[in-house]
Amino acid sequence: FRGLSVDSNQTMTLPARTYYIGEAGMNVQGTLNCTGCTFVLTRINEANAVGRLDVNAGASTNITAPTTGNFAHIAVYQDRNAVDSNGNNNRINGNSGSIISGAVYFPKQELIYNGNGTTAFSCTRLVGRRLNFTGNSGLSNKFAKAANCPWGQAGAIEAGRRVRLV
């Protein structure tokens, strides 16, 4: 797809699979449900920017990653060719709510939570160039121990564990 858009007051429920989303990105203003899914943000035309994630006010995303296959345990994956540029970051905006189970991978771009945006994670790993929380945004990650998660048997991620408060 060139892009995926869910308008306000709409609910979209997608079947389990990997979805490749082009430069128009994911724009969620309503409710997006997908169990057993990976969303790969990429581009169709090499001259265009890589697609980004935009979850807007009043929106809700409920994504559970697949447990097998090339993207096992990955809910959202952004192409490593994404450029870190002002104004082209991934956003979860005010008064939105999300439930995500699986890794969220933005290696070259920032993920911004602002306003009252919240995410409830279950066995989720965040990988990003930067995570930026402003306003009353927040997240929670609920699991007793890593061994209780599907990826728990694979061991811990040892490299790149850093948090910097600025």
Side-chain angles (χ1 to χ4, degrees):
F1 302 112
R2 186 174 175 280
L4 175 70
S5 182
V6 182
D7 292 333
S8 62
N9 299 320
Q10 282 189 328
T11 298
M12 180 182 291
T13 301
L14 298 171
R17 65 176 277 201
T18 300
Y19 292 91
Y20 291 87
I21 310 296
E23 50 272 3
M26 289 176 67
N27 184 357
V28 182
Q29 296 177 4
T31 300
L32 174 64
N33 300 310
C34 199
T35 300
C37 295
T38 298
F39 293 95
V40 178
L41 300 168
T42 188
R43 60 184 169 204
I44 295 169
N45 183 330
E46 288 293 320
N48 294 332
V50 169
R52 66 188 179 110
L53 174 67
D54 236 338
V55 179
N56 291 297
S60 177
T61 54
N62 304 298
I63 303 170
T64 302
T67 57
T68 60
N70 291 336
F71 290 103
H73 313 298
I74 299 174
V76 181
Y77 176 98
Q78 188 175 51
D79 190 322
R80 293 179 190 143
N81 292 314
V83 176
D84 185 29
S85 61
N86 291 333
N88 194 28
N89 296 309
N90 304 283
R91 295 183 180 276
I92 297 179
N93 289 317
N95 295 324
S96 63
S98 300
I99 300 171
I100 299 175
S101 179
V104 177
Y105 181 79
F106 295 105
K108 298 278 182 105
Q109 281 195 343
E110 185 173 39
L111 175 59
I112 298 171
Y113 283 84
N114 70 34
N116 293 319
T118 61
T119 303
F121 291 127
S122 176
C123 297
T124 298
R125 290 180 172 175
L126 292 174
V127 178
R129 178 158 186 202
R130 278 188 301 272
L131 300 174
N132 185 349
F133 296 88
T134 62
N136 294 320
S137 60
L139 58 87
S140 62
N141 199 357
K142 300 178 182 182
F143 61 91
K145 56 185 177 179
N148 293 347
C149 297
W151 45 258
Q153 303 306 316
I157 295 177
E158 297 299 331
R161 282 192 295 177
R162 240 182 336 181
V163 173
R164 183 176 70 174
L165 301 175
V166 291

